[in-house]
Amino acid sequence: MGTIVVGMADLKVAKAPDILTTLGLGSCIGITLYAPAKKVGGMAHIMLPTYKGFEGQNIAKFADSAIIELVNQIARLGAPRASLVAKIAGGAHMFGRSQNNDMLKIGERNAAASLAILKQLGIPIKANDTGGTHGRTIELHVETGALKIRTVGAGEKFI
């Protein structure tokens, strides 16, 4: 069993018994896809909602393009899209007290974009731990599909 680190604007896939982890989710979103029957999973650490207007950049940085790439990579490991379930975490409001400036609501926009593309692809969202004002670190346990979330100042939980 190994722990595979997913960096910022990165995505990786793994098979059980590996663990996928990403650190420092502030306004970023950690998106996990999991195929229970195959015990195959993937994780993306996205920074922005959409690839549109940023063509040619790293696709793992954006919710829409990262999720599609994760689906494709997991399919290559033998788990088709129809077998996948999703869990997401992150999307905190990290930039001060101003709730009125839409440009500062990047966490909220990232969460909304992630949920929208998952819905569009027909991938059920099993758990969602987004929002708030504190950063998170997550671990996807590929053996079970459990997502461990450590939130700054709030401890640990599994979803």
Side-chain angles (χ1 to χ4, degrees):
M1 173 173 84
T3 298
I4 299 165
V5 177
V6 178
M8 187 180 287
D10 189 15
L11 60 84
K12 299 216 169 87
V13 296
K15 295 180 178 181
D18 289 337
I19 295 171
L20 291 161
T21 188
T22 195
L23 314 170
L25 292 170
S27 59
C28 296
I29 298 281
I31 300 160
T32 66
L33 300 179
Y34 181 65
K38 296 281 187 178
K39 295 188 186 286
V40 173
M43 179 182 288
H45 181 141
I46 65 100
M47 299 172 66
L48 293 169
T50 183
Y51 188 61
K52 194 178 296 177
F54 294 98
E55 290 81 359
Q57 290 195 27
N58 172 8
I59 63 172
K61 188 176 187 176
F62 307 95
D64 51 2
S65 53
I67 291 170
I68 290 167
E69 181 60 21
L70 264 186
V71 168
N72 291 338
Q73 287 192 23
I74 291 170
R76 287 195 284 275
L77 293 178
R81 178 172 50 177
S83 69
L84 300 177
V85 295
K87 295 180 181 180
I88 71 170
H93 182 76
M94 302 299 290
F95 301 108
R97 298 251 178 241
S98 172
Q99 299 288 327
N100 296 327
N101 185 337
D102 281 344
M103 288 305 292
L104 297 181
K105 293 182 180 178
I106 190 66
E108 192 177 303
R109 290 173 36 228
N110 282 339
S114 299
L115 294 170
I117 190 72
L118 290 165
K119 183 176 181 180
Q120 181 183 331
L121 294 173
I123 299 171
I125 297 133
K126 291 292 184 187
N128 176 349
D129 186 57
T130 57
T133 56
H134 296 292
R136 297 167 175 89
T137 293
I138 64 172
E139 293 179 355
L140 175 64
H141 294 251
V142 183
E143 181 69 38
T144 64
L147 186 64
K148 181 179 182 180
I149 301 172
R150 284 192 303 275
T151 304
V152 174
E156 294 182 353
K157 66 180 173 183
F158 281 89
I159 61 172

